Amino acid sequence: NAGVTQTPKFRVLKTGQSMTLLCAQDMNHEYMYWYRQDPGMGLRLIHYSVGEGTTAKGEVPDGYNVSRLKKQNFLLGLESAAPSQTSVYFCASSPDRSTGELFFGEGSRLTVL
Amino acid sequence: DQQVKQNSPSLSVQEGRISILNCDYTNSMFDYFLWYKKYPAEGPTFLISISSIKDKNEDGRFTVFLNKSAKHLSLHIVPSQPGDSAVYFCAASGWDSNYQLIWGAGTKLIIKP
C-alpha cells in the first residue's frame, strides 16, 4: 500500500543548480499538489493539478515549474535553485477537492547552499 | 496576512486528560475546516473535519467544535494518549481560495506519561 511516494527524500544543491522532485500516487486520484513547509509556518501551496495534463499556480509558485504528463505522476522542478528554496517539500493527492482530505507523501528535504 | 492562525506553538498535557487545540481564522468565506496530524519525518494525515453548517463533529476520541461568530475552532482529544504526541495543523478552504487549503502554522502536542 504505497499511497503517495516522493523521491528523493533528501537532496543538497548548490545555488544555481537544477533538480526535479518526483511524486507518484497509486490511488488513481485526479488532484495532486506540491507544498512547502518552513519552520514556524503552515504548509504553502506551490502548484497543483486537477487532472492529467493540467497544472495551476498556488500561493508561492515563483522559481518552480511542474508537469503532470501522467495521471499518477506530478513533477516539481527547480531550474536555478536559491537558498530561499531550502525547505521540506510535500506532495499530496486527493480524489476531488470537495472535502479537503489530502493524502501526503513523507516529504523531501531540500537544502540549497 | 495569516488567514488561519494557531497561536500556541506547543501544548503539554498529562496522559488521560483532555487536550484542547485552538485555531482562529479571519476569512468568513471559509466553509470547510480540517485538522491534520503530523509525526516527525512523515507527511500530515487527515484527522477530522467540519463543515461550516455544523458546530460540532465527533469521531471517537476526537471532537471538533466550530464557533462561526468568533471565527474559532477547536480540537478536543479525550482521553489523551502518548501516541497523540504530534504536530496538529488546522486548515480551511472556501470558494474564494478555489477550495485550496489554507494552513495554520501548527501546534506541537506533547502528552506526558
Side-chain angles (χ1 to χ4, degrees), chain A residues 20-21 23 34 47 49 53-55 65-70 73-77:
Chain A
T20 301
L21 293 174
C23 177
W34 275 107
H47 286 281
S49 169
T54 74
T55 63
N65 57 76
V66 288
S67 65
R68 183 107 180 261
L69 299 180
K70 293 182 178 180
N73 295 337
F74 195 29
L75 279 64
L76 177 71

Side-chain angles (χ1 to χ4, degrees), chain B residues 2 6 12 14 26 40 42 58 66 74-75 79 98-99 112:
Chain B
Q2 283 187 292
Q6 293 177 258
S12 186
Q14 202 75 33
T26 57
E42 294 185 11
E58 191 172 354
L66 176 63
S74 60
L75 174 68
N98 202 26
Y99 293 99
K112 300 179 294 185

Side-chain angles (χ1 to χ4, degrees), chain A residues 53-104:
Chain A
T54 74
T55 63
K57 293 181 180 180
E59 181 185 356
V60 288
D62 294 342
Y64 305 94
N65 57 76
V66 288
S67 65
R68 183 107 180 261
L69 299 180
K70 293 182 178 180
K71 185 176 183 178
Q72 64 267 32
N73 295 337
F74 195 29
L75 279 64
L76 177 71
L78 286 72
E79 289 188 350
S80 179
S84 61
Q85 294 177 305
T86 294
S87 189
V88 180
Y89 292 85
F90 289 99
C91 177
S93 71
S94 66
D96 56 49
R97 68 178 186 182
S98 61
T99 63
E101 183 177 351
L102 307 182
F103 296 81
F104 282 86

Side-chain angles (χ1 to χ4, degrees), chain B residues 52-101:
Chain B
S52 61
I53 62 173
K54 296 185 175 182
D55 55 19
K56 177 182 175 182
N57 188 28
E58 191 172 354
D59 183 2
R61 295 187 298 115
F62 302 91
T63 303
V64 57
F65 295 92
L66 176 63
N67 182 335
K68 287 188 291 292
S69 61
K71 295 191 179 67
H72 176 84
L73 69 155
S74 60
L75 174 68
H76 292 213
I77 306 173
V78 183
S80 299
Q81 299 174 355
D84 296 329
S85 294
V87 176
Y88 290 79
F89 290 98
C90 170
S93 72
W95 69 268
D96 64 338
S97 69
N98 202 26
Y99 293 99
Q100 301 307 325
L101 294 179

